[in-house]
Every structure is written in structure tokens, then in C-alpha cells.
Amino acid sequence: MATDERADILQGTLDLMVLKTLDAMGPLHGYGIAKRIEQLSGDALQINQGTIYLCLVRLVQRKWIAAAWGTSDNNRRAKFYEITKTGRKQLVAEAAHWERIAGVIGRLLQLDTRR
Amino acid sequence: MWTALRLFSARVAASFRHAELDTDFDAEMASHRAMLEEELRRTGRTPEEARRQARLEFGPETQLREAHRDRRGLPWLDTLAQDLRYAIRLLRRDLGFAVFAILIVGIGVGASATIYSVVSALLLRPLPFSEPERLTWIANGGTVSDGLSGQTVPVGHYQALRERSRSFADIGAYMAFYGAGDHTLTGSGEPERITTVPVSPNFFAVLGVAMRRGRGFTVEESRWKGPPAIVLTDRLWHRRFNADPAIVGRKILIDGDPVPVVGVLPASFDFGTILAPGTTIDAFTAFPLSPESDKWGNTLAMIGRLKTGVSLEQARAETGVLAPQIKKRDPDRAFDLQLTPLAEHVSGRLRPALAVLASAVAVVMLIVCANLSNLFLARAASRQREMAIRVALGAGRRRLIRQMLTESLLLAGAGSVLGLLLAVAGTRVVSHVTAFNLPLLDRVRLDGPALLVILATAFVTGVVFGLAPAVQVPDVAVGGALTESSRGTTSTRHVWLRASLVVSEIAFACVLLIGAGLLTRSLLRVLDTNLGFRPDHTAALRLTPAAGYTGQAGENRYFGEALRLVRAIPGVEAVGLTDALPLGRNRSWNPGAKGRAYSRENPPPDSFVRVISDGYLETMHIPLLQGRDFTEHDTDGSKKVVIINQSMARALWPGENPIGKTAIYLDPEREVVGVVGDVRHLSLEEASGLEFYLPSRQTTDHFPMDLVMRTALAPEVLASEVRRALAPLDPSLATNEFRTLQSVVDRASSPRRFVVLLLASFAGFALLLASLGIYAVISYSVSQRQRELGIRMALGASAGEVRRQILGETFRLAGLGLVVGLPVAWALSRSMSSLLYGIDATDPLTFAGMIATLTAVAAVAGYLPALRASRTNPLVALRAD
């Protein structure tokens, strides 16, 4: 079904986005990550903020990110996530993979217009 | 791969920490929402608006919590745990049902595993020798009815075969006429009688048995009057010599003579359990392979090891050619070679009995499954409301089926744990039982494949009896079930299924009952047969002349004195001597009638020879039909006499009075002075052959003698009395080979009793289950029809009529079961006819008896519900909902 497919793509890209966010911005709590992704995607991804945690729990289990309780800048207790070395490696691989796909599709689309 | 494994283990770990992780996530969600709220408040919303908006943006919390739990743990594990907890709670409420189910699954699984272990040990597992499939039993062509003499060969023939055969790497032999307790072991303890088997020097090598200590026999020791040597079994070495490490080379006293011990066999080698079930073999000696021992006639049993690559067929072809050649050495001696794989010879004849037991236990398992299926169906029916509620609350069909399967697999699992314990106990009991003359029984243990059988049967029972009601579950009209009475609806298919299950149970029980009945009657017939002698109140003691009593004269003096002394013991009614107790070893000669013309084409018949003293016939209550018994006066120097049995009289002197006639080929002739009744010597089931008796005072050519006493004294008392009475004659008398004749007879029937015992218990168990099945079904049907019965009684039906109606249903069920079961039993009993004795496979009495039993049991099972039905108070029934 269409929503399932979209959910899968979502999951894949969400992983990438979370890793990139953590890589670029350093340790963040769940709210921070969700807000950042919202900003990045420009509200194109209409997901509930809570679903970020489903993604986060998988990333923690794969040891691509690590979680620890800490205090936010507003002196609030929150769980912070940090990218790990393996996570960084995964990010590089994933980014390369997407770029390759984008390149191929780009060339494919260009093929059509050349006609 | 490693990431997948790590992921899996992380998820497993998480599923055990649900509570803790839930709280953690709750805190995280709260913190997130709080931050979101704060953000929204900063944009100008009121606190309530901010909170509401935060909640919206965040998403549904409960669903998120569930999704988080699913994502981080193993949802199927959680469901399983939930199902199990629920199942346990339900079963605890219905404890009676649970206990019953576990019990019958346990008994069924335990019985299957035990029987499988027995079959495996006796038939499937290879013999405990190296490369046992190449070992062949080589026998002279006689059948079992020809006795030992018919199956053995003389030394010369054995040596010739060994030399000439190209198919066998080597052929070993042992002297088959050893007797239990033939020799005495003295020194280093009480004098005791031991059983030794004389063997060829290559015997152990052929079997592939490596000595634990020392060596086997040399060719030198196998010469005529060669140096004495003895090889001990591990058991004797431990028991008598305390596992003395310096045993090799030590001299021990056998029959008064010092004999050096040259070797000790490993504990794994048990000659008795393989080739002589029921006998304990203590040691081995070297049999002299020489022209002198060749003269003794048929003495050796042979075991050959086929060369690699040679098949049994090829060996058979070769022996087919060799046998006539070898026969030329002694053309008058019957000689023919039959080859059978050793495993076949050892336990082949048990195959039919074990097949019956294995099938019986399979039938028991089927009945267990049917019974449990029935019970579960009944429970499912009463749980329909619960099922309807669960369906209404959103449970899918698969979920409900999984729940039912979890319950039934839980029961099957608990039942198989019980079954495992029972099987361990059962195999231990069987392997320690020595009262049955079955080979290889001490090898029975619960092994890997048996364990797999247990697990497989548990799984299959779980699936089979869990499946039937689980399949029924979705057939629930939710609305109807919720509003219907607590009894639930009775779908006709449901009722039909239960009834057919009970019918199948009855049919199975019928088959088992008839099988057990036929075998029990066969056993009774066997036990009832006229053996030709009376084994009650009779005991036998092995007696050999003490040192100094040599030759015919010495023997006569010793035995005469022994007889006199024992006869004088108060309480001893009669005493006699014999060299061949019934159901023991035997040997045969070929005496003929004087005046007849015998030739190679028309030889005198084989007859079993027994050497007895005066008084033996009376002691054994062997009826004297004509003439007289031996007396003290039939001794060395007086006329040579012989007593023959009835069959021999008919064979040699048909239609004539044999008294006074002369029998020839009996060194050289003897006069017939008496005719006695036939004795069943070979086995309880077989008619005796031709037998003749020689007076012990007139011959020394006999096996070691047994002193037989008829007395009312208890065996222990008798043993000590005899030892005391014979002390002046023989102070070092060993009395450990003291046995009652009744025990000998019981032993002979023990394999049959073993099978009957097991089969009868299976049949009893099956009958119990079938009756419980009937009770359950009829009971349920009555409870379903309360309203209908109430109406009938209100309209005037009497209690008796209602009872009759219910009983009628019961008999209909039973009748159907019989209709299905009887033809099957008929067919199967015919395949069992090799095990029967004295009755046909279609014995009408047994069939009628079992039909009556089943009908009676069904009547009893149906009577209680019938009584309950007839006691229905119409008012209560009509009001009930």
C-alpha cells in the first residue's frame, strides 16, 4: 500500500537525517532533533514529533548513536543522543549511497529531456 | 551477520526490561512534550492552548508507547509470554482437567519412549562388537526343534570350513553344551559353582573384543590336554577377586585344579545377554580342537566374520558348495550350513512381539490424542463466550488460534516432562530386570533418538489436540455467543466431531483389548500345558563327584551315597539325579530298534538322551506308563537297560509292546524296561521329541548331574539342610547353583509374560481412557439438552424412559466403535498369529469376551449421566438459561 511504501522511505531517510543532524550539531535531545528535521525538510514531512523516538531506538540498538540522560540549556532533564564512530561510518556510507542514486536518477531524467 | 545478531540480542534484552524501559520512555516523552509546550507558550499561546497543541504535535502517546515497545523488543516474545501467563491462569482454575491431561500425556509419552528404547536396544542398535554387520551365525541345518545337537558341528567340520572358506576372514566357535554351574571355583572364598564357556582361540578376535587385561587363548592351549588357561569376565574379576590388578598369571582352583588366569575381558562384553539370555557367564576356557574332541560329535556353534566386500549371499553360495564336500568326512552325520546375520539370530525371533508392542503403544498415543482433543473441544465449547468477548475486543482469528495452541502445547510440554521422567524410570527398571530371558535387555537406556521420539510425540499431540478446537474457535457468531446461555451454542459439526473422536477411541481400545486378550489366553494356555512333569515343590542342585571318586565305580559310590543322605532328610519326599533338566540343554543320539534295517537313506530318528538315576522319574512325577523305573540293581556289570518315552515307543516299535525289546546303537545294545510319558524339554510351547533315559550307574558319558529333590521345605531351608547332610561326603560342596524347577519353568515363559504384561496394561489404560471419553461426551450431551429433557419429563416421560434414552445413545456410540474396531482387530490379530499358542487368531471366545467387556464399561460410563438426566427437575430445567 502507498502509505507503507512511504513509511519505509521515510524510515530510511529519517535515519540519514538524524545521523546527519547529530553529526553536524553535536549531541541533541529528541525534541531538538525533531525540530531541526522539521526545519530542514521544510514541513514536507508531515510526521508526528513522537515518531522520531521509534527511529532513535533503532539507531541506539544498532549502536550508531548513544543515549544518555543530561540537562538541557533550560535546566530541564532530557535524554541526549550523540553519534558514535560506527554511526559516522554509516553516515558516510549512507550519504554516498544516496548520492549515487541521485546521480543515476538525475542522469535518467536528463535522458528524457534531451529528446 | 554480526549486526543482525547484536540487534537480536539487544531486542531480547529489552524484552526482559519492559517495565524499566517503559518508565524511561515515559520520562523522555514527558520531557519532550514539556519542551514543546514551553516553545509554544513563547509564541504567545495560553498555557492550556500550548498544552493542547503540544499534545497534537507530539502525537498519540499510548500508541507511541506501544510502538516503542514493539520496536525495541520482540513483539512475538511478548505475545507468547502473555499467552503463557493467561494459559497458566486458566489451567490453574481448571486444575482437574489440567492434571488429567498432563497425566495421560505423560503416561502415553513415557510408554512410547520406553517401548521405543526397548525396540532400539533389542532390534535396532548394532551388537556391541566391532563391525557387527559382518558377523554371521553359522549353524548346522537343524531347526530349533532338533535341539542343540541339530545346530552344532563337530570339531573336524569346523576346522575344515575355516580352512577352506574364502568368504570369511575368520570363523570362531564355542562349545554350545556348556552348562550353568558345571565347574567349581574354590580357594579365596566360599566354594561356588561357575559357568564357563569353552571357546576357540580366535573367538574373541573374530568378535572384535579387545582384552581388558592379558590375552586370549593361544593355539597351544587349544591342544588336546594342552596347558590349562582361563579368561575371566569383568564381573567375576570384580566380584570374586576384587579387581585384583595382578590377576593375570595368578592360578585359581577350578574343580580342584590350579588354572592360570591369562586374561580378563572388558565389562562391555557380555556373552550371556547376547547368546544365552538368562545365564550369567563367569569365565571362558580353551576348547581342545583335536581329533579326540572331534570324536565327541556335534559340539561347536560357529560365528564367522565376513571379509570386507563379501555379501552374505556370496557366502551362502560358497557354503552351499563346501558343505557337501565337508560332509564327506563323515557321511552319516547330517551336515548342512545355514548362515544368518548374528543380529538376526540373537533377536530376530523377538521381532513379531516387539512389533506388536510398538504398534500397541502407537495406538495408545492415538487414544491419548483423541481423548485430549475431546476434552479440549468440550472446554472450547464452554469458553465460547470468552472467545466472543475477545473477538469483540479486537483479537484476530490467528491470535485466538495461537492462544489455544499455546495452552495445548503447554499441557503437552508439561506432559512430556512427566513422560520423560517416567521413561527414565521405566528404562532403568527394564534394564535391571533379570527375570526375563530376553537378550540385550541390560542395554536398554533412554537414548537420543528416544528423546526425539518423546519430543515429537509431545509436539504432535499438542498440535493435534490443540488444533481441533482451535479450528472451531472462529466459528463463533459473536452476537449470538454473547447473548446466548453460558453453555454456548452447539454447532452440529462440533458435536459430530466429538462423537467421532469417542468412536475412534472405542475402536482403538477394542483392537488393543482383543490383542491383549488373545495373547493372555495364549500365555494361560502355555502355562497350562502338561509339561510331562510337575515343577512345583521341586528344586535342583548341581552335584559333581568330589576328588577321589573317579571312574564309573567312584561315581556310583558318590552318587549312591549322596542320594541316600539326601533321601534321609526329613521333609524330602523323593530324590533323583539327571544330567539334563527340562528346558535346559539337550543332546541327541540315534538309537534304533533291533531287527530293523537302517541305512543312510533311512536312518534311525534323532532322540534326546538323558542320564538319570533311580528315583528321578518319581521325583519329577513323570508318569511311568509301562514297565519299571531303574533301580540300584541296574548298575555297572548288570544287564544294560534303557527307558524310553511314549513318542519313541511309537516311533521305533509302532503297534507293539516295547518292553523287553532291544535298542541298538546304544553302546552297543540295551533292553527296554520301561515306557514313560513325554516331557516338554525344548520349550513350553513345543511338543517333546523322542527321549530315552539311561541309568547313571551304567554310564559316565553324561553332562554334570543335577540332584533333584521333591520337598515341601522352603528353598532356603532345603539348601542349608542339603549342605549339612552332604557335608560328610563332600565338605567343599558349592550350593550356589541351587534353583527351583518352578523358577526354571517361569523363566521359560518369561518372554511371553513380558509381552502380555505390557500389552495388558496398555489395553487397560486404553479401556480407561475410552470409558472416560464416553462419560465426557454423554455427560456433555446431557447437559446441553437440559431444556429438551425437562420438556420431555414435563410432558410425562418417566425417569426410566429418560435413562433408557441416554443409555441407548451410549450403546449406539459403543456399537459404532465396535463396528469400526472389530474388523481392524480381526485383520491385525491374523498378522499376530505367530505369537499365539493354542488358540486361533479369530478365537470367538476372546472376541465375545472383549465385546462384552467394552459394552459393560460403556454402560457404566453412560450410567451416571443417564442417572443425572433422569433426575432432571423439569421446572429447574425449563427455567434455566
Side-chain angles (χ1 to χ4, degrees), chain B residues 767-816:
Chain B
L767 192 60
L768 178 70
L769 285 184
S771 61
L772 285 171
I774 295 175
Y775 172 79
V777 157
I778 299 292
S779 215
Y780 178 75
S781 133
V782 161
S783 67
Q784 286 300 98
R785 287 150 56 200
Q786 280 242 325
R787 198 182 294 168
E788 172 207 328
L789 290 169
I791 293 174
R792 290 196 71 209
M793 293 194 78
L795 288 178
S798 70
E801 277 175 20
V802 170
R803 263 203 303 273
R804 269 196 295 278
Q805 179 197 0
I806 303 297
L807 276 176
E809 281 176 33
T810 318
F811 287 130
R812 245 201 312 279
L813 266 183
L816 262 172

Side-chain angles (χ1 to χ4, degrees), chain A residues 11 29-31 34-35 48-51 53-55 57-58 61-63 69 74 76-79 81, chain B residues 6-7 11 24-25 27-28 31-32 34-36 38-39 42 57-60 64 67-68 71-72:
Chain A
Q11 189 161 297
H29 46 60
Y31 175 59
K35 214 160 59 128
N48 291 326
Q49 283 207 354
T51 54
Y53 288 102
L54 301 179
C55 168
V57 79
R58 285 178 65 253
Q61 280 185 339
R62 283 180 159 78
K63 302 236 193 296
W69 279 96
N74 291 14
R76 196 174 285 281
R77 244 179 78 78
K79 203 170 195 182
Y81 295 90
Chain B
R6 207 183 317 143
L7 198 63
R11 294 179 82 167
D24 188 85
F25 185 54
E28 199 174 353
S31 140
H32 184 129
M35 287 193 264
L36 193 53
E38 211 174 286
E39 178 87 20
R42 242 180 272 144
E57 276 189 37
F58 186 73
L64 196 61
H68 195 254
R71 188 66 70 86
R72 69 169 186 253

Side-chain angles (χ1 to χ4, degrees), chain B residues 360 364 509 512-517 758-769:
Chain B
V364 167
L512 280 180
L513 276 173
I514 288 177
L758 288 176
L759 199 58
S761 17
F762 292 157
F765 184 59
L767 192 60
L768 178 70
L769 285 184

